[in-house]
Amino acid sequence: MALDIVGVAPLYQGPDINRMRLTAELSQKPASLLKPLVPLKSKLTTIETKRIMSVLDETIHKVELVTLLSYMGANYETLEKMLGGDIIKAVREHEDLCHTLLDSIIYLQDKERRLQEEEEYEEEGLFRNRLFSLELQKSHLLPLMLQIKESTKDILRLLLNNPQAASLAQTHTLSRSVEAQNFIDCLMELRGFLFEKLLTSPMEARDRSQFIQDIDRRNKRNQEIINTLENELAAIMRNREAEKKYKVETEIENWIQKYDMEMGEKQVEYEELDLIHKEEKIQLEELKQKHNVLVEEFSQIRAEQEVNAKKRIEAEQEMLHMVRAATLIQALWKGYLVRSMLKSRKKKRSKSKGKVRKGKGKGKGKEKGKGKK
């Protein structure tokens, strides 16, 4: 379809050829190095070259418009006022044709897939008949594809006859698909190559070819020098590696010998320490045994001391009870003796008083008897 669109004759009043963007996008490298590759002219001067670029620019412009048809068909309601009723009507008819073609293709693809799956289970004659019917249905798509091509051309004529609508449509470049934008970018890149080619005269082309050949020869010489230097560097590196390896092996051997020597000394020291440790361990076991005996004896002595202490405490308590009892007995006895002494004294006093009284009575009686006499 793109080739058919490219082949469409100019259907609109194109821009002035002298005002086209006929400038080459040159490299940013220093001009002194790329001087043979840079065309001397910066603008096209002949009518033929301008026509060639005009045709390519028209093609790019048409491709830019065609790649926006899907967006126009999906948003015809919002674009109707800007683009006009005729363009929107043509776009909708084109969209209907595209949908019909797409549905037919999907239907035929599904039918072909099912036919391939059922190929093993059907007779050969029946399978060929169904396959022929499928190919016949595919051939019926050609008129529909021609209708789509014609509708595309019609829409392009309408847009190109209405530059304002075409410019408004191109404001929606972000709605273009990624594939379509890549195709347009490739066309723009092709335009740059073609423009540079048209700017280059035969003599400049010959000089450029000679320059490229010189560069190629220099590159080959430089590559040979690089290869030689790389080989020399590889040889030097191998020698260094053979030296870095001998030195490393020697150093490793020295380290191993030093390690063996130090480990031997450490082994002797370890054996001595191990012997001392074993002796100290034996002494420790003996001390543990002595300690256990002493602990046992101490436990026995302490148990005996506790028993003796209990006995002493019991004896002291018993002695205290006995002393208290003796003291109590002594106190009771002393009280008894005091009371007995008091009682005996009272008796003696009472007896002495009775004798006194009796003596007094006898004396009074004697006195009385003497008086009577």
Side-chain angles (χ1 to χ4, degrees):
M1 186 181 294
L3 294 177
D4 294 334
I5 295 170
V6 171
V8 176
L11 301 176
Y12 72 107
Q13 187 66 32
D16 187 1
I17 294 177
N18 295 324
R19 294 182 180 179
M20 286 184 174
R21 40 195 174 95
L22 302 179
T23 57
E25 296 179 0
L26 302 178
S27 175
Q28 298 297 326
K29 293 184 178 180
S32 59
L33 296 178
L34 300 179
K35 187 175 181 181
L37 300 179
V38 178
L40 296 177
K41 297 182 294 184
S42 60
K43 294 183 178 180
L44 299 177
T45 56
T46 62
I47 299 297
E48 291 79 7
T49 56
K50 291 181 179 180
R51 285 178 177 175
I52 292 172
M53 291 304 299
S54 175
V55 170
L56 182 57
D57 286 337
E58 289 178 6
T59 302
I60 295 173
H61 181 65
K62 292 174 183 178
V63 171
E64 290 176 346
L65 293 175
V66 168
T67 53
L68 292 173
L69 292 181
S70 299
Y71 175 76
M72 295 180 189
N75 300 274
Y76 65 89
E77 295 180 354
T78 58
L79 297 176
E80 186 173 2
K81 294 181 179 180
M82 292 188 295
L83 301 181
D86 295 338
I87 296 176
I88 293 300
K89 181 181 179 181
V91 169
R92 293 188 65 182
E93 292 176 355
H94 175 78
E95 190 74 11
D96 294 337
L97 291 173
C98 290
H99 283 304
T100 303
L101 177 63
L102 184 61
D103 293 338
S104 301
I105 291 174
I106 293 173
Y107 170 74
L108 293 176
Q109 287 178 348
D110 184 63
K111 191 173 182 180
E112 184 177 9
R113 179 181 57 79
R114 285 183 294 167
L115 183 62
Q116 291 175 355
E117 292 175 354
E118 298 173 358
E119 180 180 3
E120 299 179 358
Y121 307 100
E122 287 190 357
E123 296 180 358
E124 185 176 357
L126 181 60
F127 176 76
R128 287 182 179 178
N129 292 332
R130 293 182 64 184
L131 187 61
F132 177 76
S133 175
L134 181 64
E135 294 297 330
L136 186 62
Q137 292 179 9
K138 286 183 179 180
S139 65
H140 293 163
L141 297 178
L142 294 177
L144 183 59
M145 295 176 67
L146 292 175
Q147 291 181 11
I148 292 175
K149 291 179 182 179
E150 292 299 326
S151 67
T152 304
K153 293 178 183 179
D154 293 338
I155 295 172
L156 277 177
R157 289 190 184 94
L158 292 173
L159 288 173
L160 296 176
N161 290 330
N162 189 351
Q164 184 178 2
S167 61
L168 289 174
Q170 284 189 315
T171 58
H172 300 279
T173 55
L174 296 177
S175 303
R176 188 180 290 123
S177 64
V178 178
E179 295 80 6
Q181 187 62 46
N182 290 334
F183 179 62
I184 294 173
D185 294 338
C186 291
L187 289 177
M188 295 301 295
E189 187 176 0
L190 175 63
R191 183 190 181 281
F193 291 150
L194 180 61
F195 182 76
E196 185 176 356
K197 185 69 176 177
L198 294 175
L199 286 177
T200 305
S201 64
M203 185 176 295
E204 290 176 345
R206 186 171 57 252
D207 293 340
R208 176 180 294 183
S209 177
Q210 184 65 35
F211 177 75
I212 292 175
Q213 291 177 1
D214 293 340
I215 292 296
D216 186 57
R217 285 194 296 269
R218 290 178 186 176
N219 183 46
K220 290 181 179 179
R221 288 198 300 269
N222 293 334
Q223 189 62 41
E224 291 175 357
I225 295 172
I226 290 172
N227 293 333
T228 303
L229 293 175
E230 287 180 349
N231 293 331
E232 293 177 357
L233 178 62
I236 292 172
M237 293 298 296
R238 286 194 297 270
N239 293 332
R240 289 184 62 183
E241 289 177 357
E243 291 176 359
K244 186 176 180 187
K245 186 176 179 181
Y246 174 75
K247 290 181 179 178
V248 170
E249 290 178 351
T250 304
E251 189 173 358
I252 290 174
E253 185 66 26
N254 294 332
W255 278 104
I256 291 173
Q257 293 178 358
K258 185 178 179 181
Y259 174 79
D260 293 338
M261 186 183 299
E262 291 181 355
M263 290 305 297
E265 295 176 356
K266 297 291 184 182
Q267 183 66 29
V268 173
E269 184 179 357
Y270 170 76
E271 291 176 355
E272 293 177 354
L273 292 174
D274 186 63
L275 182 61
I276 294 172
H277 174 70
K278 289 180 179 179
E279 292 177 355
E280 292 179 349
K281 192 173 181 181
I282 293 171
Q283 294 177 0
L284 179 62
E285 290 295 330
E286 293 177 354
L287 291 174
K288 284 183 177 180
Q289 292 177 0
K290 292 180 179 180
H291 176 264
N292 292 332
V293 173
L294 292 174
V295 168
E296 186 176 358
E297 292 178 355
F298 176 75
S299 299
Q300 293 177 357
I301 293 171
R302 189 167 184 179
E304 292 178 357
Q305 288 178 352
E306 289 178 354
V307 172
N308 294 330
K310 288 181 180 179
K311 290 181 178 180
R312 187 174 61 255
I313 291 170
E314 291 176 356
E316 290 177 354
Q317 290 179 353
E318 187 177 358
M319 181 61 71
L320 181 61
H321 290 308
M322 292 175 66
V323 170
R324 288 179 178 176
T327 303
L328 181 59
I329 292 170
Q330 290 177 357
L332 292 174
W333 178 252
K334 287 181 179 180
Y336 174 74
L337 291 177
V338 170
R339 286 193 298 273
S340 299
M341 290 176 65
L342 292 174
K343 287 180 179 181
S344 62
R345 287 180 180 177
K346 286 180 179 180
K347 288 179 179 182
K348 289 179 179 181
R349 287 179 180 176
S350 61
K351 288 181 179 181
S352 60
K353 287 180 179 181
K355 288 180 178 181
V356 171
R357 287 176 181 176
K358 287 179 178 181
K360 288 181 178 182
K362 288 180 177 182
K364 289 180 177 181
K366 290 179 176 182
E367 290 177 357
K368 288 178 178 181
K370 288 179 175 181
K372 290 176 176 180
K373 292 177 171 184

